[in-house]
Amino acid sequence: MNRSTVPISLDAIVSGLTGLGLRAGHHVLVHSSLSALGRVAGGAQTVVDALLQVVGPSGTVLVPTLTGTEADGEGVALDFDLAQTPCWTGAVAEAARRRPEAIRSAHPTHSVAAIGAAAARLTSDHEQCITPCGTGSPYAKLAADPDGVVLLLGCDHESNTTLHHVEELAGVSYHLHPEPVPGVVRFFDRTETRDYWVHSWGTPRRFSAIEPLLDQRGLQTRRAVGAADARLMSAGLLVTLALDVLRADPRFFIAEQARMSGANRTGVGD
Ligand SMILES: CC(C)(COP(=O)(O)OP(=O)(O)OC[C@H]1O[C@@H](n2cnc3c(N)ncnc32)[C@H](O)[C@@H]1OP(=O)(O)O)[C@@H](O)C(=O)NCCC(=O)NCCS
């Protein structure tokens, strides 16, 4: 954390986000590192407040509230409690998830919590998605919305879950375990069970390889918010570009070391 004695205020974060291009009416999916911002007065709650202030009543703040782990896979049943299962995607995501007005999508590994105008629409029916980030997921819905944007706040494209959505659209096989696992989703008033195909952690990615392509096409803005390096992009344009790239080279997002080993089948052209 930045040890500056002057804490970063809500107004400073609002100003940084506005300068980045975030505006009223945006539905913004936020991947974040609180410590990257420097010392924030009021901590994660201030960041959530700043995001809500900028997008306003017609916009929506979404955070990934991921719960999947490296242990997921064959022989491991999923058990997800919509209200109780904490996420590992950081203090800002957890602060947003715990707000009473937040609506969390009910996916056992790749849920999203949302606050604002489109929260119910963007989070609905995720439990019915038998893969984490495919058609019908909040990631797909955000990409289909002209006001859908992705914000990387103090983290880089390696944290950009929307690129897993692109992997699903492209049909690369390394993204998912080959066999589904049983999952329990506990709602407030009921429990649902179904089989889910879960994310496979075995293939190291290089999602940051999309960065120069976004920059060349002017598809992301980048500037400091507090002490954090921040990036903002249209979710739809990110998906269109990355899908083109991945269809041309199904191994594009596989880290160099894994590409060299040839250990990973892509399911496309193999
Ligand atoms: C993993 C990750 C969350 C870690 O970031 P981080 O800044 O170290 O941790 P958090 O965002 O949870 O913030 C908590 C930390 O902020 C710091 N902190 C505490 N109070 C603070 C304040 N008022 N102001 C600023 N930082 C503060 C502390 O270091 C704290 O860590 P601690 O609880 O261990 O003491 C981040 O690197 C990351 O990957 N974010 C993206 C996650 C994501 O969306 N992944 C999707 C994968 S597909």
Side-chain angles (χ1 to χ4, degrees):
M1 197 198 315
N2 183 331
R3 300 291 172 199
S4 160
T5 51
V6 182
I8 293 150
S9 66
L10 181 140
D11 286 350
I13 299 173
V14 166
S15 165
L17 293 171
T18 305
L20 190 63
L22 191 68
R23 59 164 172 73
H26 269 153
H27 309 306
V28 60
L29 176 61
V30 186
H31 301 272
S32 63
S33 159
L34 177 61
S35 64
L37 286 156
R39 185 160 63 92
V40 177
Q45 297 295 348
T46 298
V47 180
V48 177
D49 286 339
L51 289 159
L52 288 168
Q53 186 171 317
V54 175
V55 301
S58 60
T60 311
V61 172
L62 303 97
V63 291
T65 52
L66 307 191
T67 51
T69 73
E70 250 180 298
D72 294 342
E74 286 74 13
V76 179
L78 303 169
D79 192 334
F80 172 77
D81 188 310
L82 187 59
Q84 302 297 333
T85 308
C87 69
W88 53 257
T89 35
V92 173
E94 191 63 2
R97 174 186 86 78
R98 294 173 72 94
R99 291 209 173 184
E101 65 273 35
I103 302 175
R104 189 183 198 182
S105 73
H107 192 275
T109 62
H110 280 66
S111 66
V112 165
I115 303 172
R121 172 172 65 84
L122 293 171
T123 56
S124 65
D125 301 328
H126 199 183
E127 68 275 13
Q128 294 171 25
C129 298
I130 55 173
T131 63
C133 313
T135 304
S137 69
Y139 311 98
K141 291 178 185 175
L142 195 72
D145 192 308
D147 292 316
V149 294
V150 174
L151 170 64
L152 304 176
L153 187 56
C155 50
D156 60 22
H157 284 281
E158 302 307 329
S159 299
N160 196 340
T161 311
T162 300
L163 294 175
H164 289 311
H165 167 56
V166 174
E167 290 180 325
E168 289 202 28
L169 292 178
V172 296
S173 64
Y174 61 80
H175 168 51
L176 301 173
H177 279 269
E179 297 296 332
V181 300
V184 175
V185 176
R186 301 180 192 280
F187 292 83
F188 304 97
D189 56 350
R190 69 186 194 283
T191 294
E192 291 188 10
T193 57
R194 58 174 60 76
D195 287 348
Y196 289 95
W197 272 261
V198 292
H199 177 75
S200 170
W201 294 61
T203 305
R205 307 292 207 278
R206 47 162 212 159
F207 278 169
S208 292
I210 199 69
E211 180 130 283
L213 305 182
L214 287 166
D215 287 340
Q216 282 159 18
R217 291 160 179 76
L219 293 181
Q220 76 174 0
T221 54
R222 190 167 172 179
R223 60 163 281 172
V225 175
D229 192 9
R231 301 164 173 86
L232 184 73
M233 68 219 74
S234 153
L237 295 178
L238 169 70
V239 167
T240 300
L241 172 65
L243 189 55
D244 280 352
V245 165
L246 206 49
R247 283 186 171 146
D249 177 4
R251 296 176 189 269
F252 184 81
F253 285 133
I254 298 177
E256 201 62 38
Q257 195 180 356
R259 287 159 69 97
M260 300 293 282
S261 78
N264 295 288
R265 291 179 300 105
T266 62
V268 184
D270 281 346

